[in-house]
Amino acid sequence: MSSKKIHTISLIIAFLFMFALTFSFPYISDDLHFKFVFYGFNPDGRDKRIESLADVIVSLKNYYKMSGGRILAHTILYTVNCFAKPVFDLLNAAAFSIFGLLIYKLAKQTSAAQFRSVSRFILPIIYLLSFVFLPSFGDTVIWMSGSINYLWMSLVPLTLLSLLFADEGAAPKNKYASAAYILICILSLLSGLTNEVTGGMLIVFAAVFLIQKRSGFPIKLLLPALLILLGTGIVVLAPGNAARAAAVDKTEIFSLIRALKVLPDIISYYCENYAAATAVILLANIVFYDKRPGTAYSISFFLSGIAGFTALSLSGTFIKRSSFTPSVFIFVSLILSLIKLYDLYKNGFPRISRPILRLSAVAAAFAAMTALSSTPSISSLLTAVILSVAYILALCAKTDPKRTLAIKAMLEKIKKRGKMVFCTILTLLCLYIAKNTVIYFRTTAALNNYENKFKLAADSGNSITITRPEIEPCIFIPDESRNYGVWWHSIYYGINITFE
């Protein structure tokens, strides 16, 4: 089957699957909250539905003062929330589809030489891995309030980077006057406005990449960099950040002592969920380091992602979904690393200097991350096996040259069975997603049953008493629904709702 057909089928399946997931999930918590003018975090008797642009402006002003600086995301959220939910369902499915396409395009732009051998399979692999890699998938991709804040906002920096990479080869005389440069400047400001960490991550990305290239700071990037910092300043310096931290999270922001207390939680979470991905990235870019562009880009995405995770500690608390953008950067680095490793696997691994030392460094890093995580995952165990085999092979080749032929023969056998191993891993991944999909639709059916009860009670003007829903473990169910609150349901439907 041609690449075009595979990509078209993957895109259609991703769109329809995401639409089905989003469509079946009802409004919860903030989704209903943002149908009203923002006066605070809980109903207080001043509840007024959004009916005009003036109401949206008042809400954004109050939000900026009382809750945070993510004005861009909440402008879109208030706007989309004015329409029927199927409008969001369609837009969200499109956003997820574009998310995969942007990462595919970034991989193609940054790893052109290695990309050709695996281009047919990259897009479906991106979509499949995103289901298990992206943090709190239900909160950041399915739930309306979360998806607009995280999935939709991630499209801005990804588009910006894609344009920057495409503009790299443009003629110097056209770089300042081109429409692309103007769009780059607009997206730079918007990227800074997306959330608290994206702007800083983009600056780190540029710094790491330029250091690797040993080139000076391009003057054409000065204006985009300043616009990124401006957008970031608007978000970070919002008075609502400190107000929300004190009122809701019972903490304080920009406190070094508090950050040092939160940082271990972030490290533990990262090690528990991304130890395997980190080992693969280090294997591709340290053990098999080269000077091809894909390596420099992969390292830049990885280190800027790590910087983003670290910066989260400054908020004074750690919520899993807040790590979405740093995780996306790590995810892009992982995709680039997998492309590189597959290219090496297909065309032969090169000789490397000090293989034992390099592998030992990667193995030590992986062992440390596994030790820091409370529950090592299956992917981590698989990575441990791969690193162990690579280490043993390198050790045998180093200590006994006579075994070189035997090692090569072993690698040939592994290579012949590579397709079977790949298909097995892919099948297991699909089964895991299918299992969670069944649980998800069973759970959303129960949640929608509550919505139907609320509507019936609203029509009859009666109060209603319900049992708190039981939420099964599932990667697609938003954590926000586990603490199922009904304050805004009561206001929205105009009824009194209580729990048994």
Side-chain angles (χ1 to χ4, degrees):
M1 190 180 294
S2 67
S3 297
K4 188 174 182 180
K5 287 183 179 179
I6 292 176
H7 294 163
T8 302
I9 293 171
S10 300
L11 191 60
I12 292 173
I13 292 175
F15 179 88
L16 294 177
F17 184 64
M18 183 51 56
F19 177 78
L21 291 178
T22 311
F23 182 79
S24 64
F25 196 80
Y27 289 129
I28 57 170
S29 59
D30 286 352
D31 299 338
L32 296 175
H33 184 181
F34 291 119
K35 285 186 176 292
F36 295 85
V37 177
F38 189 95
Y39 289 117
F41 302 107
N42 298 311
D44 63 357
R46 293 180 292 171
D47 314 303
K48 178 182 181 297
R49 292 209 182 199
I50 298 288
E51 296 175 346
S52 64
L53 178 61
D55 290 337
V56 173
I57 293 174
V58 169
S59 297
L60 292 173
K61 286 182 178 178
N62 291 338
Y63 176 85
Y64 192 77
K65 293 177 182 178
M66 302 172 61
S67 186
R70 298 180 184 179
I71 296 300
L72 176 61
H74 285 82
T75 299
I76 297 173
L77 176 55
Y78 273 114
T79 302
V80 173
N81 217 359
C82 291
F83 298 93
K85 189 170 178 293
V87 173
F88 164 75
D89 301 333
L90 287 169
L91 292 175
N92 198 55
F96 181 72
S97 303
I98 294 170
F99 174 81
L101 286 174
L102 283 172
I103 294 179
Y104 174 86
K105 185 177 181 182
L106 288 170
K108 186 176 182 180
Q109 289 174 313
T110 57
S111 303
Q114 302 155 314
F115 188 82
R116 298 186 189 96
S117 62
V118 72
S119 60
R120 287 193 301 169
F121 309 108
I122 286 298
L123 189 59
I125 287 174
I126 288 171
Y127 286 127
L128 283 173
L129 288 180
S130 65
F131 290 123
V132 296
F133 191 91
L134 298 178
S136 298
F137 191 90
D139 290 283
T140 56
V141 181
I142 296 175
W143 174 39
M144 178 190 284
S145 300
S147 181
I148 293 176
N149 267 276
Y150 298 104
L151 173 65
W152 293 28
M153 292 299 101
S154 72
L155 302 182
V156 182
L158 291 178
T159 304
L160 171 63
L161 290 172
S162 180
L163 284 174
L164 285 171
F165 299 158
D167 191 54
E168 225 179 339
K173 63 181 180 180
N174 295 328
K175 283 182 177 176
Y176 295 97
S178 68
Y181 185 75
I182 297 173
L183 184 56
I184 284 171
C185 291
I186 294 172
L187 288 173
S188 297
L189 176 61
L190 294 179
S191 293
L193 288 169
T194 54
N195 57 49
E196 298 80 8
V197 298
T198 299
M201 289 169 57
L202 289 171
I203 299 298
V204 172
F205 178 93
V208 173
F209 183 75
L210 292 174
I211 289 171
Q212 291 180 88
K213 289 295 183 180
R214 297 181 180 179
S215 58
F217 184 81
I219 192 65
K220 70 160 190 169
L221 291 181
L222 179 59
L223 180 57
L226 291 174
L227 290 170
I228 288 172
L229 292 175
L230 174 62
T232 302
I234 292 172
V235 174
V236 171
L237 298 178
N241 290 319
R244 180 184 178 87
V248 179
D249 301 320
K250 308 301 180 184
T251 186
E252 55 184 327
I253 60 173
F254 306 133
S255 166
L256 181 60
I257 295 176
R258 183 60 190 169
L260 292 174
K261 291 181 180 179
V262 173
L263 194 57
D265 294 334
I266 297 175
I267 293 173
S268 177
Y269 172 79
Y270 179 88
C271 292
E272 185 173 329
N273 291 275
Y274 301 123
T278 302
V280 171
I281 293 168
L282 295 180
L283 185 65
N285 299 294
I286 291 183
V287 177
F288 297 108
Y289 175 80
D290 56 40
K291 294 185 178 181
R292 286 185 285 187
T295 301
Y297 284 116
S298 182
I299 292 173
S300 300
F301 273 112
F302 175 67
L303 292 181
S304 55
I306 295 296
F309 268 100
T310 305
L312 292 175
S313 64
L314 295 174
S315 67
T317 187
F318 176 61
I319 302 173
K320 292 178 183 179
R321 61 176 178 260
S322 65
S323 66
F324 185 85
T325 306
S327 298
V328 168
F329 275 53
I330 301 289
F331 185 53
V332 176
S333 180
L334 174 64
I335 295 298
L336 297 180
S337 299
L338 290 173
I339 292 172
K340 180 178 180 178
L341 289 174
Y342 180 81
D343 181 71
L344 294 174
Y345 160 80
K346 189 172 183 180
N347 298 309
F349 288 92
R351 288 189 176 184
I352 55 176
S353 61
R354 300 181 178 179
I356 303 300
L357 180 62
R358 294 187 184 192
L359 276 169
S360 297
V362 175
F366 176 71
M369 287 187 291
T370 304
L372 289 170
S373 61
S374 56
T375 55
S377 63
I378 295 176
S379 61
S380 297
L381 296 176
L382 177 62
T383 307
V385 172
I386 294 172
L387 287 176
S388 299
V389 171
Y391 187 84
I392 292 170
L393 291 175
L395 185 63
C396 291
K398 184 75 175 177
T399 57
D400 190 353
K402 294 181 180 179
R403 297 182 184 176
T404 301
L405 292 176
I407 291 170
K408 287 184 177 180
M410 186 184 300
L411 288 173
E412 283 299 318
K413 290 182 179 179
I414 294 173
K415 190 172 181 179
K416 288 179 180 179
R417 291 171 173 78
K419 185 178 290 187
M420 182 184 69
V421 173
F422 173 76
C423 290
T424 301
I425 294 174
L426 200 62
T427 301
L428 291 174
L429 180 59
C430 291
L431 289 173
Y432 177 73
I433 293 171
K435 174 190 172 184
N436 280 272
T437 302
V438 172
I439 296 174
Y440 174 81
F441 284 119
R442 186 165 62 225
T443 304
T444 55
L447 292 177
N448 279 301
N449 185 44
Y450 280 107
E451 294 296 313
N452 293 330
K453 290 181 179 179
F454 298 156
K455 292 174 183 176
L456 290 173
D459 291 339
S460 60
N462 296 326
S463 300
I464 184 172
T465 301
I466 61 171
T467 57
R468 192 174 294 275
E470 294 183 7
I471 307 297
E472 299 180 64
C474 173
I475 60 173
F476 297 135
I477 296 293
D479 290 335
E480 190 74 15
S481 65
R482 299 184 189 283
N483 184 21
Y484 191 78
V486 292
W487 304 283
W488 289 104
H489 285 86
S490 295
I491 301 299
Y492 181 73
Y493 288 107
I495 57 176
N496 182 35
I497 306 172
T498 57
F499 288 116
E500 289 182 350

